[in-house]
Amino acid sequence: MKREFMKILEHTSIANDTYRLLLEGEMVQDIVDPGQFVHVQISDDFYLRRPVSICDYNRSEGTMTLLYKVMGKGTDALTKKEAGGFLDVLGPGGQGFPLPGDEQTHALLIGGGIGVPPLYNLAKQLNDKGIRVTSVLGFQTKADAFLIEEFESFGEVYVSTNDGTLGTKGFVTDVLSQLESVHDTYYACGPTVMLKAVMDQLEEVPGYISMEERMGCGIGACFACVIESRDDKGYKRICCDGPVFDAKEVVLS
Ligand SMILES: Cc1cc2nc3c(=O)[nH]c(=O)nc-3n(C[C@H](O)[C@H](O)[C@H](O)COP(=O)(O)OP(=O)(O)OC[C@H]3O[C@@H](n4cnc5c(N)ncnc54)[C@H](O)[C@@H]3O)c2cc1C
Ligand code: FES
């Protein structure tokens, strides 16, 4: 991981309390997998950095896209950063989504709310490999929805909203129960309660989940981000062993 003051090329609102940052810098060349994250220093007023997934990146242009939702004081202060300024970023961090081998042909992507962004570059890379992509995107309400057209350019997209203002009324799991099971791998990111429900529902399918739980140091030193695992140690750190895990390796409670 390296620290860099990345130039903010664009900073725009894309949905209810949701913003898109387009950043430029050398760090883009170090991104290995879709699903990695950066650790953002908001300002001196905030001791801890805030983790944000890399939504997309373009190596030849040296740019990366972050999408974030205002959740509290840190992300609210982030909205005040202006294009033309710089953002203090540490990254890229963590282990991202492994791309499937030649035997896999159909991937199911499941994103909940602000868990949707890290799936975007994954969808792009799967599509480039000729793998069929089906996406199930869940939001609280229509005003919160984003990236739907972008995901449609890679394959079929199903949307759910809690209040039924867009797509199926309910949760992503309500959509999953109506889908024909022809996918051979799944990739999911969203709140832990959603990930647990998805893991239970797709128990028979090989899958990967990305955790967006709270972090401290972001570099493996503080153990603020541990989750239960089935390996010898009995735990894994989201910041460095994840945020992406094989669904069979971890236990969500
Ligand atoms: C690996 C990883 C990737 C992430 N990627 C993104 C992303 O792409 N876009 C995005 O908008 N957010 C992402 N998050 C979540 C983001 O880091 C938090 O929303 C942010 O740190 C909240 O900071 P805050 O100061 O605004 O809120 P705080 O004031 O710290 O908290 C406000 C509220 O949000 C809750 N909260 C704080 N952190 C989290 C969290 N990590 N998950 C769920 N609830 C939280 C708190 O419990 C509290 O209720 C990611 C988190 C991780 C660990
Ligand atoms: S956040 Fe400190 S060990 Fe993961």
Side-chain angles (χ1 to χ4, degrees):
M1 288 231 269
K2 72 164 125 179
R3 183 182 182 194
E4 185 176 353
F5 289 84
M6 299 187 78
K7 184 160 190 193
I8 303 172
L9 297 182
E10 293 173 21
H11 194 181
T12 47
S13 166
I14 57 162
N16 188 26
D17 279 340
T18 309
Y19 294 82
R20 172 181 181 269
L21 273 166
L22 182 67
L23 305 176
E24 182 184 55
E26 288 175 12
M27 188 182 297
V28 176
Q29 308 308 327
D30 298 338
I31 299 170
V32 180
D33 296 314
Q36 288 184 287
F37 70 94
V38 290
H39 225 187
V40 175
Q41 181 71 54
I42 310 282
S43 73
D44 291 343
D45 296 336
F46 296 91
Y47 174 66
L48 292 175
R49 288 173 177 265
R50 300 299 196 264
V52 182
S53 301
I54 298 167
C55 171
D56 195 19
Y57 60 97
N58 183 320
R59 260 192 240 286
S60 57
E61 293 179 7
T63 57
M64 71 164 80
T65 302
L66 310 181
L67 302 190
Y68 69 93
K69 185 163 181 104
V70 175
M71 294 295 288
K73 286 188 179 163
T75 41
D76 187 48
L78 188 56
T79 66
K80 309 293 185 295
K81 302 272 181 191
E82 292 180 0
F86 290 85
L87 193 63
D88 179 351
V89 175
L90 195 64
Q95 316 298 322
F97 293 106
L99 291 174
D102 292 339
E103 67 284 2
Q104 280 138 325
T105 59
H106 186 180
L108 179 62
L109 273 52
I110 307 144
I114 207 61
V116 170
L119 299 173
Y120 176 71
N121 184 264
L122 172 69
K124 196 186 241 184
Q125 294 206 36
L126 291 169
N127 188 58
D128 286 349
K129 277 178 71 103
I131 292 168
R132 183 177 161 195
V133 175
T134 298
S135 306
V136 180
L137 310 179
F139 302 94
Q140 287 186 355
T141 186
K142 185 179 177 183
D144 293 331
F146 57 86
L147 288 187
I148 294 172
E149 278 180 25
E150 288 81 351
F151 274 88
E152 280 172 347
S153 65
F154 304 127
E156 65 257 73
V157 176
Y158 300 87
V159 176
S160 70
T161 48
N162 298 6
D163 61 2
T165 45
L166 190 67
T168 300
K169 183 172 193 278
F171 303 110
V172 290
T173 42
D174 295 311
V175 176
L176 294 182
S177 53
Q178 294 163 20
L179 277 187
E180 207 189 336
S181 311
V182 287
H183 40 269
D184 43 40
T185 319
Y186 77 86
Y187 301 88
C189 185
T192 305
V193 63
M194 180 202 99
L195 294 177
K196 189 167 180 346
V198 167
M199 284 162 71
D200 289 346
Q201 203 164 347
L202 300 178
E203 209 180 352
E204 306 300 322
V205 184
Y208 298 91
I209 57 160
S210 181
M211 304 286 301
E212 296 203 335
E213 286 292 339
R214 301 204 73 150
M215 279 188 188
C217 68
I219 53 168
C222 74
F223 288 74
C225 64
V226 292
I227 56 166
E228 191 179 344
S229 87
R230 298 184 200 280
D231 70 4
D232 296 348
K233 286 191 288 187
Y235 68 86
K236 283 190 185 288
R237 289 163 298 179
I238 293 172
C239 65
C240 51
D241 301 318
V244 175
F245 298 100
D246 185 317
K248 301 266 183 293
E249 284 178 9
V250 290
V251 183
L252 302 190
S253 50

